[in-house]
Amino acid sequence: MIAVIGAGASGLVGAIAAARKGAKVCIYEKNSKIGRKILATGNGRCNITNQNIELSNFHGQQPFFVNSSIKRFNTFTCKDFFTELGIEMVEGQKGRLYPKSLQSSSVVELLVYECKRLGVTFYLDSEVTNITKKGEGFCLHVNEKSLHVNKVLVATGGLAMPSLGSCDSGYTFAKNFGHDIVPTHASLVQLVCKEDLKAIGGVKVEGMIEVLENGQSISSASGDILFTNYGISGSAVLDISRVAGHALLHNRALHVKIDLLPEYSKEQLKNLLKKRQKNSHGKSVALWLDGFINSKLASFIAKELPKKSADELNIKDITKLVYALKNFQLKVTDTKGYKTAEVTAGGVSVDQINAQTLESKLQRGLYFSGEVLDIDADCGGYNLHWAWASGYCAGNEIVK
Ligand SMILES: Cc1cc2nc3c(=O)[nH]c(=O)nc-3n(C[C@H](O)[C@H](O)[C@H](O)COP(=O)(O)OP(=O)(O)OC[C@H]3O[C@@H](n4cnc5c(N)ncnc54)[C@H](O)[C@@H]3O)c2cc1C
């Protein structure tokens, strides 16, 4: 008997892979529902994978650990796997692949159907509280009962969004067998800033954002940036949040620099503003900028300039304005944490896991897959891809 702990993305695919090889598999899930996190993915549409799966999309202390799994389970294997379940895929922006139904519920339903077709047994409301070694196999402690199984796949996920069932039990199981845990932090998460941004809360720009550590740029991204009451959100912010979260974990001073108008060079913007001055007709700076940038943002930035009308601005003021528009700096004090994060960075160190088989190097018969490991990925279907790919490889290997 093979026990899979966690009926999430990785556990379900792991169970299917093992059961297809003829193994008897049971899945223990602490939630009363299967695949709760899958249901929440891609805003309910489930960004299953991406057309372009590259090693550079994955992170952790040893990202090359994913190589073996993503070679065995690449985009093509992934498409075939889901086609076999009955899921056709459609492509969205940046190579993102979704089920044609655009419903994450269809992904869960068809994964569950396949598990049941193969005879996989589900135990819901069944939190595994401990795993101990017993003879050749393992003893699982579930709902005050002890159950004997031959092998175990730990697919308990990370800490992101505890409301969906996430918890630290996978790390505890690993530690009990002598595994190291790489310190964790929230990733693909919103950032909290020191400045009071209430006046521009709700304003969204298509900009460029850079993370500055001690004034040095350490990461950048382009796309949506949304100002909120607490700080910043949006796709570009999620993209840089891993690097920001890591720096914050090590108490490093952090700023972000936002280019609100990346389509213009500084010189182009300066010339454009000088040209616009000719038609300013005594307007305040805020009103003069209104129509060019969001009005709330215009008022916010105008506060930094001398109290003059737009036509009175001299070259020094224009240069200052260009700087404010292209170097909008905020001090980052924190991330919004696991409560709203999509992913956990850090986790069970892959040092002590066999990259080919996903088996523990410290305890035979014990396997780990998915987000519980020290692997996280970029936004765009890569995190689910890692969950499916590692689950698939572990499920195939655990039966050997
Ligand atoms: C809101 C949101 C949107 C996302 N959107 C996307 C997206 O569109 N594309 C993408 O690639 N990634 C997305 N992600 C990330 C992706 O969902 C995860 O990386 C992926 O689900 C991880 O799979 P997993 O199987 O390792 O863990 P999980 O899916 O978290 O599954 C782990 C399961 O184990 C159970 N469990 C934990 N401990 C125990 C225990 N002791 N006993 C029994 N059961 C236990 C949990 O309840 C859970 O059901 C999103 C994440 C969130 C939160």
Side-chain angles (χ1 to χ4, degrees):
M1 174 67 78
I2 289 167
V4 175
I5 310 179
S10 208
L12 289 170
V13 172
I16 290 171
R20 280 183 181 168
K21 295 257 169 184
K24 265 192 88 55
V25 183
C26 51
I27 305 189
Y28 294 91
E29 169 56 56
K30 70 200 268 278
N31 288 333
S32 55
K33 282 193 185 141
I34 300 168
R36 276 191 69 189
K37 195 172 278 179
I38 303 175
L39 291 174
T41 58
N43 291 323
R45 299 186 310 160
C46 189
N47 177 196
I48 296 179
T49 182
N50 198 288
Q51 285 288 19
N52 310 301
I53 300 285
E54 309 275 349
L55 181 58
S56 58
N57 298 119
F58 299 90
H59 314 286
Q61 283 195 345
Q62 296 175 47
F64 43 84
F65 178 84
V66 305
N67 244 336
S68 168
S69 298
I70 64 169
K71 274 190 184 146
R72 270 170 85 179
F73 192 92
N74 56 29
T75 310
F76 299 107
T77 335
C78 186
K79 278 187 190 165
D80 286 348
F81 179 87
F82 283 101
T83 307
E84 209 179 322
L85 299 188
I87 296 168
E88 304 298 331
M89 294 206 203
V90 282
E91 194 173 333
Q93 284 177 342
K94 299 182 182 171
R96 291 169 190 205
L97 295 170
Y98 299 86
K100 193 152 169 46
S101 61
L102 294 179
Q103 287 178 299
S104 48
S105 54
S106 53
V107 177
V108 176
E109 281 160 18
L110 290 163
L111 283 167
V112 173
Y113 185 88
E114 181 67 353
C115 281
K116 291 192 173 161
R117 186 182 76 80
L118 294 163
V120 173
T121 314
F122 283 95
Y123 295 96
L124 302 181
D125 291 312
S126 298
E127 177 170 3
V128 176
T129 49
N130 199 8
I131 310 171
T132 49
K133 188 77 190 105
K134 190 171 181 204
E136 285 295 290
F138 297 87
C139 183
L140 297 190
H141 301 262
V142 190
N143 294 342
E144 292 171 19
K145 283 192 208 126
S146 297
L147 307 151
H148 185 259
V149 295
N150 302 97
K151 292 180 177 180
V152 180
L153 170 59
V154 178
T156 46
L159 299 169
M161 282 210 187
S163 57
L164 301 176
S166 306
C167 62
D168 64 357
S169 58
Y171 309 143
T172 308
F173 301 148
K175 269 193 265 181
N176 290 346
F177 282 97
H179 283 266
D180 296 327
I181 308 297
V182 174
T184 61
H185 63 85
S187 184
L188 303 190
V189 65
Q190 306 81 358
L191 299 178
V192 180
C193 299
K194 188 172 173 229
E195 293 76 6
D196 183 356
L197 301 176
K198 286 191 192 74
I200 51 170
V203 174
K204 194 173 175 180
V205 295
E206 204 31 53
M208 219 274 271
I209 186 163
E210 267 180 272
V211 186
L212 306 178
E213 190 183 309
N214 299 324
Q216 296 293 311
S217 174
I218 54 168
S219 181
S220 66
S222 298
D224 286 348
I225 299 163
L226 174 69
F227 296 99
T228 68
N229 289 351
Y230 59 78
I232 45 174
S233 175
S235 65
V237 174
L238 299 197
D239 284 344
I240 51 115
S241 64
R242 180 186 206 281
V243 169
H246 187 259
L248 289 164
L249 185 71
H250 294 91
N251 297 319
R252 297 187 191 132
L254 215 62
H255 287 83
V256 286
K257 181 174 105 177
I258 300 171
D259 185 344
L260 297 164
L261 294 164
E263 61 275 38
Y264 301 104
S265 69
K266 280 186 189 150
E267 212 41 49
Q268 285 170 330
L269 188 56
K270 198 187 272 182
N271 291 337
L272 183 67
L273 290 171
K274 280 199 271 184
K275 204 168 125 201
R276 280 175 65 90
Q277 256 185 317
K278 291 189 189 123
N279 300 325
S280 60
H281 308 303
K283 286 175 196 152
S284 66
V285 173
L287 188 63
W288 173 64
L289 285 174
D290 191 4
F292 181 53
I293 58 169
N294 179 287
S295 55
K296 282 188 188 172
L297 206 49
S299 306
F300 195 81
I301 286 177
K303 277 196 294 191
E304 304 302 312
L305 292 174
K307 300 254 166 304
K308 296 179 184 175
S309 69
D311 30 2
E312 288 167 344
L313 295 179
N314 58 30
I315 192 67
K316 212 172 133 201
D317 301 327
I318 294 280
T319 308
K320 197 172 173 194
L321 180 56
V322 169
Y323 187 83
L325 291 166
K326 291 193 75 69
N327 293 270
F328 189 85
Q329 287 208 21
L330 299 169
K331 182 169 171 52
V332 180
T333 53
D334 207 347
T335 71
K336 281 294 269 181
Y338 298 116
K339 205 171 166 189
T340 61
E342 289 192 10
V343 181
T344 307
V348 177
S349 168
V350 295
D351 254 347
Q352 296 140 339
I353 308 287
N354 181 326
Q356 319 294 323
T357 63
L358 282 305
E359 188 178 21
S360 160
K361 290 180 187 171
L362 308 179
Q363 178 56 63
R364 294 218 60 186
L366 183 65
Y367 293 71
F368 292 86
S369 70
E371 205 181 302
V372 69
L373 289 167
D374 171 32
I375 294 292
D376 60 286
D378 296 337
C379 206
Y382 302 102
N383 283 291
L384 276 176
H385 191 92
W386 167 244
W388 320 123
S390 55
Y392 179 83
C393 293
N396 274 294
E397 294 294 330
I398 203 167
V399 295
K400 287 185 181 164

